Amino acid sequence: EADIYQTPRYLVIGTGKKITLECSQTMGHDKMYWYQQDPGMELHLIHYSYGVNSTEKGDLSSESTVSRIRTEHFPLTLESARPSHTSQYLCASSAGAVNQPQHFGDGTRLSIL
Amino acid sequence: KNQVEQSPQSLIILEGKNCTLQCNYTVSPFSNLRWYKQDTGRGPVSLTIMTFSENTKSNGRYTATLDADTKQSSLHITASQLSDSASYICVVSDRGSTLGRLYFGRGTQLTVWP
C-alpha cells in the first residue's frame, strides 16, 4: 500500500468559499503532483513540484495554487470555489528517477454548490 | 499531437475468463509505458512499467506487452477475479523533459461477473 494520504475524501461546499485540499506522503519522495479527473476522462496534471520551495503549473489551466514548504506536504488551495471546480482531485508522488511509478492517494471528491 | 488511445472503452467478462486490453500511443520521444489499475473511488495503483527495451512484463495474473515499433501495448489478465473489476489506465511517458511528461489514456472499464 502506498503511503500517501489525502483529506478530506469528500467535500461539498458553497460557492465563494476558500478550500484547502491536503496531501501528505511518508515515502520521502521529492516529486509530487496534483491531478484533476472527471468521470470517464483522463487525468489532467494541474500542478507539480520537484522538491521543497519548487512548484510549477501543469498542462491544465487551474485557478488553484499549491505550496511545498515541507517534503511530505503538498496542499492545494482554491481561494474562491466555483461550480466549475467540481471534480475529483488526485495527489501523487514519485521518487527521483523518470522510470519510477507514481503513487496516488485516494483523492478528494469536491462538489461546489 | 501526443495521444494515448485505449480500447475497448468498457468490457464485461465472466469470472475465470481471460481478457486483453489495448493501448495505442503516438507519444514521442518515448520513455516508458505504464499500466495502472483504478478501483472505484480510489487512486490509481501501478501494475507495470516498461521501457523501450522491454517487450513483456508480468505482475501476478497481469501481463503487459509492448511493441515500440508499432506503438502498441496490451494488458492481459488471466483467470479473472471479481476484484479485477476496475478501470485500467495506460500511461505513456516522454523523455523530452526532466519531468518525463505523462500522457494518460481514458481507461478501459472492466467488469467481472460471477
Side-chain angles (χ1 to χ4, degrees):
Chain A
E1 297 292 326
D3 296 316
I4 181 164
Y5 308 99
Q6 291 186 242
T7 57
R9 286 295 312 279
Y10 305 93
L11 180 60
V12 180
I13 200 165
T15 299
K17 301 293 186 181
K18 180 179 179 179
I19 299 166
T20 297
L21 308 184
E22 301 288 349
C23 176
S24 295
Q25 51 97 4
T26 59
M27 296 170 282
H29 288 165
D30 286 328
K31 294 181 179 178
M32 295 191 73
Y33 315 81
W34 275 103
Y35 290 93
Q36 190 171 335
Q37 183 183 32
D38 293 315
M41 302 297 288
E42 62 268 45
L43 277 71
H44 291 285
L45 180 68
I46 52 176
H47 297 283
Y48 62 95
S49 168
Y50 286 135
V52 172
N53 295 325
S54 155
T55 62
E56 300 287 345
K57 288 188 177 294
D59 308 312
L60 183 67
S61 176
S62 174
E63 294 165 347
S64 59
T65 59
V66 292
S67 63
R68 190 87 182 276
I69 299 173
R70 304 197 314 266
T71 298
E72 62 272 21
H73 195 213
F74 192 40
L76 181 146
T77 298
L78 280 165
E79 289 293 333
S80 180
R82 296 208 303 265
S84 61
H85 297 141
T86 295
S87 188
Q88 166 144 297
Y89 293 84
L90 288 163
C91 180
S93 72
S94 67
V98 172
N99 291 336
Q100 291 298 310
Q102 290 188 342
H103 298 270
F104 285 85
D106 283 335
T108 294
R109 187 167 295 281
L110 179 62
S111 295
I112 309 300
L113 305 178
Chain B
K1 181 180 177 182
N2 289 320
Q3 286 185 308
V4 177
E5 301 287 343
Q6 293 188 242
S7 62
Q9 184 176 343
S10 62
L11 180 63
I12 300 174
I13 61 173
L14 294 176
E15 187 179 14
K17 299 297 185 182
N18 304 334
C19 68
T20 300
L21 314 181
Q22 300 291 342
C23 174
N24 296 335
Y25 63 92
T26 60
V27 177
S28 181
F30 174 86
S31 176
N32 60 71
L33 185 145
R34 309 152 185 236
W35 283 95
Y36 283 86
K37 177 187 179 188
Q38 185 175 22
D39 292 317
T40 301
R42 306 295 298 273
V45 174
S46 178
L47 294 176
T48 63
I49 297 178
M50 289 182 292
T51 60
F52 184 89
S53 59
E54 295 175 294
N55 301 116
T56 184
K57 183 165 281 190
S58 293
N59 178 357
R61 295 179 296 101
Y62 301 102
T63 300
T65 64
L66 173 65
D67 186 336
D69 292 331
T70 62
K71 298 187 176 181
Q72 295 180 325
S73 175
S74 65
L75 181 69
H76 186 75
I77 304 174
T78 304
S80 60
Q81 300 176 359
L82 298 180
S83 59
D84 292 332
S85 295
S87 178
Y88 291 85
I89 303 172
C90 176
V91 185
V92 181
S93 175
D94 73 10
R95 51 182 171 84
S97 66
T98 305
L99 178 65
R101 190 184 184 286
L102 299 181
Y103 297 86
F104 288 80
R106 294 185 176 185
T108 291
Q109 183 64 47
L110 175 67
T111 303
V112 181
W113 283 3

